[in-house]
Amino acid sequence: METGVDSQTKSQAFQLHTAATKPNFIVCLFIMATFSAQLEPITNALQAVQLDLSQARKYISEIIEIFNNLDAKKYFHEIFKKAQDVAIKLGEKIKIPLIVSNQNHLSNHPINTPEDYFRVSLYQPYVDSLIMQLKLRFSNENSAAHSLLNLHPNNMKKIQYDQFLSMIVEINNFYEIDSLAEEGKLWYNVWKNRNTSQNETKNISFISLLDETNLYPTIHTALTIALTLPVTTCSVERTFSTLRRVKTWTRNSIGDNRLNGLCMIAVHKEFVINHKLELIEEIINEFSLLPRRMELLFKD
């Protein structure tokens, strides 16, 4: 410890060092790092603005299958070896913690080797919990909600007609939208026959897609439901980040209406840029309806 440091800082640093060099912490760290690296691609995909949820669900199903078929002893042996190497560099030794015969609330497994102990007490519970959470979040009960995203033209062009019909039936049975099956068939054929490139359909947002549903009321209802079902909290987190940038300390006294307007412009900046002229015209018309009249020229 450096001289001149107060006792409280020394105590906190010692506690942090002690906790970070414990065998449980080191082994847990490598277990989480190993599985987090495998989940990183799907995590990045779920944070994207244009989310292909059907592909994400397929990837999750493959990951769950892989995790279920892992050889626990062989796979954990590699993880434990890495943890041991780091522990040796830190001057620590990974060993079985003290076990008492009448111990009931902590891991008290009758195992002789440290590797087997941490595999049973840490690795297997972590993997079981991870698989359970993935199945819960991407279960078949949520498939109807996820299928709503396949109403987007970019997703429809990737699936076959029979598969699309089965999705429409599933959505109809879950949300009970009248005449959805009939309109869904027409909606599918209309976009299949349109001469639009993949880049054009990919850039269509769900909000702008509502303008295409004037003659498809049930499709409009289904798309509206899809817009109200955020798959992740990323969009909400982006909104908070926008609020932090818009409402600075120099704008502390800004009103709610103006703050909401500025945040909406910042969040939907692409829409504002693409419809700039129309929005300017609407703003001018809105101001022209106000009763207030101002002299814009000075008189002598």
Side-chain angles (χ1 to χ4, degrees), residues 156 161 164-165 182-194 216:
M156 283 193 299
Y161 183 71
F164 179 78
L165 290 182
E182 289 72 17
E183 283 193 14
K185 298 175 184 178
L186 184 60
W187 179 257
Y188 181 89
N189 291 323
V190 165
W191 283 100
K192 276 287 186 179
N193 295 329
R194 284 193 181 183
Y216 307 94

Side-chain angles (χ1 to χ4, degrees), residues 137-176:
R137 295 176 183 272
F138 295 89
S139 63
N140 293 329
E141 296 178 356
N142 300 326
S143 61
H146 296 165
S147 298
L148 288 170
L149 300 181
N150 289 321
L151 294 174
H152 193 281
N154 188 50
N155 297 331
M156 283 193 299
K157 291 185 177 182
K158 298 178 182 178
I159 58 180
Q160 299 296 326
Y161 183 71
D162 295 337
Q163 185 181 0
F164 179 78
L165 290 182
S166 62
M167 292 180 181
I168 288 294
V169 172
E170 184 181 14
I171 295 171
N172 192 23
N173 294 335
F174 187 81
Y175 290 104
E176 298 181 354

Side-chain angles (χ1 to χ4, degrees), residues 47 232-245:
Q47 293 177 359
T232 64
T233 60
C234 298
S235 57
V236 180
E237 292 172 0
R238 293 191 189 100
T239 304
F240 284 118
S241 300
T242 301
L243 180 62
R244 192 181 301 113
R245 291 192 298 267

